[in-house]
Amino acid sequence: MMNLKTLNLQKLSIVASIILLNACNTLPEKYISSNSLETQDLLDGTVLLGEKIKQSELPDDKVMEITEEMEVFLKDYVLRANGPENRANLLSRALFDDDKLNLEYDPSQTFTAREAFENKVANCIAFSLLYITLADRLGLDATFQEVLILPEWGEAEDGTYIESRHVNVNLYIHGSGQWVVDIDSIGKNLNLRATPLEKEHAQALYYGNVASELMLDKKYKEAFRYFVKAIELEPSEASIWSNLGVLYRRVGLDEYAEKAYFIALDYETRNASALNNLAYLYKASGKNDRSEYYEKLAKASQVKNPYFRYSRAQAAFDKYQFDLAEKHINYAIRKNKSEPSFYDLKSKIHEMLGERIEASKAFKIAQRLRAEAP
C-alpha cells in the first residue's frame, strides 16, 4: 500500500479505447430462466418487507453534502492559493497531512463525503465523493471515473460472490491537462485505463456498497432499501443487480435471486459475479447441468479477459514462473495490442529470461504507446 502522507497528484495517461468482451451467445432454451417474475417484483419490497416500499422509506444519505467544518477546512488550507493547479495540489496535501485532515485509507469504510471528512477515513468511493465535493466548491473540474482493473469478487460464507470495483477522480486543469487523484496506490497506476462515471452512477455505487455491507451484517431489510436506492440512481448497473440477487438468495427467495442474476446479465452479458452466483444457485438446488453451464461461462469470461490474463502473468512473474508468465502476457497482448502495461510486464519477463533484445523491443513499444496517447 502506498504511503498516504506523500500522496501527490499524478498525470493521467490517456490511451486508446478499451476492447470490450464479446457478448455471450444466445443461451440455450433449457438454460433460460422460466420464472414469471417481473423486474418490479424485485423492487417493490412486498416479499421482504411485507408491504410495498414507499419512496419516503428509501435512504437519502446526502452523499455529497458540504458542511461548515469542510468550508472552514478549505478556507484555512486551500483558498489562499491562486489558480486551479495550485489549489488542487494544496487540497491533495491538506487531506493527508498529519497536521491537517490526516485522512487514512480503509477499503472497508464506505462513507459519504461528510462522514469521510469527520471520521478521517475512507475507501476509494468515499474518498472520491469527498474530493469532488471539495473540488466543486473550489471551482475545479473534477469528475468520477472507474479504473478498469479486473473486478474483485469476494466470496461469502454461503458460496455466493459479491462484486467490488475501484473508483477515483479525474481532474482536468486547463493548460496542464488531466490528472488522476486516488487514495489507493492501485488507482494511481498510470498504465491502467479508466472510464467516466456520472455523479448519479458514482452515488449508486455508494448506495450499492452500503447495501452489501448491511447484507453481510444480516441487516436484510435495510440492505434492501439501499439496493433499491442504488438501482433507482443507475438501473443498468449489473453489479448491483447481482448483489441484490445475493440478498434474495440469503433470505431463501431463490426465484427472486435467479431473476436478479438474469437482469444483471441483460445489462452485462459476461458479468462474472452473476454467472458465478447462478452456478452456485443451481448447484445448491440440484440442477447440476445448469450449474456446470454457468460455471463454464464464468470461467470463460475470466480467461478471455486480457486484464485477467495480465493479472495471471503478474502472479506467475512474482512466483518466478517466467515461462507461464510469458504465456499469459502474450495472450493478453493478442487480445489488446494497445495496453502499455502489458508490454511493460512482457519486457520484465524477457529480462528475467535473459532475452535482452526482446525485453528492449517490448519496452520501446510501451513507450511508443504512451507517447501516441492523446
Side-chain angles (χ1 to χ4, degrees):
M1 189 175 75
M2 65 180 290
N3 181 353
L4 298 178
K5 309 309 175 192
T6 59
L7 178 72
N8 292 311
L9 296 171
Q10 287 187 318
K11 206 68 176 287
L12 176 62
S13 175
I14 305 296
V15 289
S17 60
I18 185 169
I19 296 176
L20 297 175
L21 293 169
N22 292 326
C24 293
N25 295 327
T26 302
L27 295 176
E29 186 68 30
K30 66 178 180 178
Y31 295 124
I32 296 175
S33 171
S34 60
N35 75 51
S36 59
L37 293 171
E38 301 292 338
T39 299
Q40 192 54 38
D41 295 329
L42 275 65
L43 300 176
D44 71 11
T46 303
V47 294
L48 272 171
L49 307 177
E51 59 182 0
K52 289 187 176 182
I53 193 169
K54 300 179 180 65
Q55 186 69 27
S56 61
E57 295 175 327
L58 296 182
D60 180 9
D61 289 1
K62 302 187 186 307
V63 177
M64 299 183 71
E65 177 185 35
I66 189 163
T67 65
E68 184 177 345
E69 289 79 7
M70 293 160 74
E71 296 271 16
V72 170
F73 172 82
L74 292 177
K75 182 179 179 181
D76 288 347
Y77 301 121
V78 184
L79 283 172
R80 66 177 182 271
N82 293 320
E85 187 168 349
N86 289 333
R87 286 189 171 187
N89 275 302
L90 272 184
L91 175 59
S92 180
R93 288 199 294 270
L95 286 171
F96 295 101
D97 279 358
D98 289 333
D99 58 347
K100 296 183 177 65
L101 188 62
N102 193 25
L103 188 68
E104 297 285 349
Y105 174 61
D106 184 341
S108 69
Q109 299 295 329
T110 303
F111 287 139
T112 65
R114 175 183 57 80
E115 290 170 336
F117 183 85
E118 291 175 353
N119 291 296
K120 304 181 189 298
V121 65
N123 61 8
C124 69
I125 183 65
F127 169 75
S128 300
L129 290 167
L130 173 61
Y131 191 95
I132 291 180
T133 297
L134 297 174
D136 284 350
R137 194 65 170 171
L138 294 168
L140 300 175
D141 185 3
T143 55
F144 296 97
Q145 61 180 16
E146 180 178 358
V147 181
L148 298 177
I149 59 175
L150 187 73
E152 296 180 1
W153 300 283
E155 188 170 0
E157 60 186 15
D158 59 359
T160 50
Y161 285 72
I162 299 170
E163 184 176 346
S164 61
R165 286 141 43 186
H166 191 77
V167 175
N168 66 15
V169 177
N170 177 42
L171 182 65
Y172 175 74
I173 299 175
H174 182 70
S176 181
Q178 290 175 292
W179 304 72
V180 66
V181 193
D182 201 302
I183 193 171
D184 184 18
S185 58
I186 190 171
K188 292 174 69 63
N189 184 343
L190 302 184
N191 300 331
L192 295 173
R193 302 173 189 273
T195 186
L197 290 177
E198 296 294 334
K199 279 188 179 181
E200 290 79 7
H201 197 157
Q203 291 181 22
L205 294 178
Y206 159 83
Y207 282 102
N209 265 24
V210 174
S212 296
E213 292 165 7
L214 290 167
M215 176 177 62
L216 293 174
D217 287 339
K218 300 183 179 180
K219 299 175 180 177
Y220 298 132
K221 291 184 178 181
E222 192 174 354
F224 173 75
R225 294 185 178 94
Y226 272 83
F227 276 131
V228 173
K229 178 71 173 185
I231 290 169
E232 183 181 82
L233 287 167
E234 186 52 60
S236 63
E237 178 52 59
S239 65
I240 296 173
W241 281 106
S242 181
N243 290 348
L244 176 61
V246 174
L247 172 62
Y248 277 119
R249 173 79 179 100
R250 285 186 155 221
V251 298
L253 294 168
D254 287 1
E255 284 193 351
Y256 286 78
E258 181 189 42
K259 179 66 177 181
Y261 298 147
F262 274 106
I263 293 173
L265 294 176
D266 284 341
Y267 288 116
E268 186 183 333
T269 54
R270 287 190 182 272
N271 184 276
S273 176
L275 292 170
N276 273 308
N277 287 335
L278 271 172
Y280 181 84
L281 179 71
Y282 289 137
K283 183 176 182 180
S285 59
K287 299 176 181 178
N288 293 329
D289 58 337
R290 283 177 174 250
S291 177
E292 291 172 5
Y293 179 80
Y294 285 103
E295 187 175 0
K296 287 178 182 178
L297 281 182
K299 289 180 179 177
S301 82
Q302 289 181 324
V303 170
K304 292 180 180 180
N305 185 333
Y307 289 88
F308 176 78
R309 295 299 284 268
Y310 169 73
S311 71
R312 296 300 87 203
Q314 185 65 64
F317 181 86
D318 292 342
K319 294 177 181 177
Y320 306 102
Q321 297 171 344
F322 302 122
D323 290 335
L324 178 60
E326 183 181 15
K327 178 181 177 181
H328 283 303
I329 202 62
N330 285 341
Y331 180 94
I333 289 172
R334 285 197 301 273
K335 289 292 184 178
N336 184 355
K337 294 180 173 62
S338 61
E339 178 58 78
S341 60
F342 294 175
Y343 293 95
D344 284 332
L345 182 54
K346 182 178 176 68
S347 177
K348 293 177 183 177
I349 292 167
H350 284 300
E351 191 73 35
M352 295 305 295
L353 290 171
E355 299 167 350
R356 298 289 181 84
I357 294 176
E358 291 301 316
S360 178
K361 286 180 181 178
F363 179 75
K364 288 178 180 178
I365 293 173
Q367 285 186 315
R368 175 176 58 79
L369 288 172
R370 292 194 178 92
E372 291 174 352

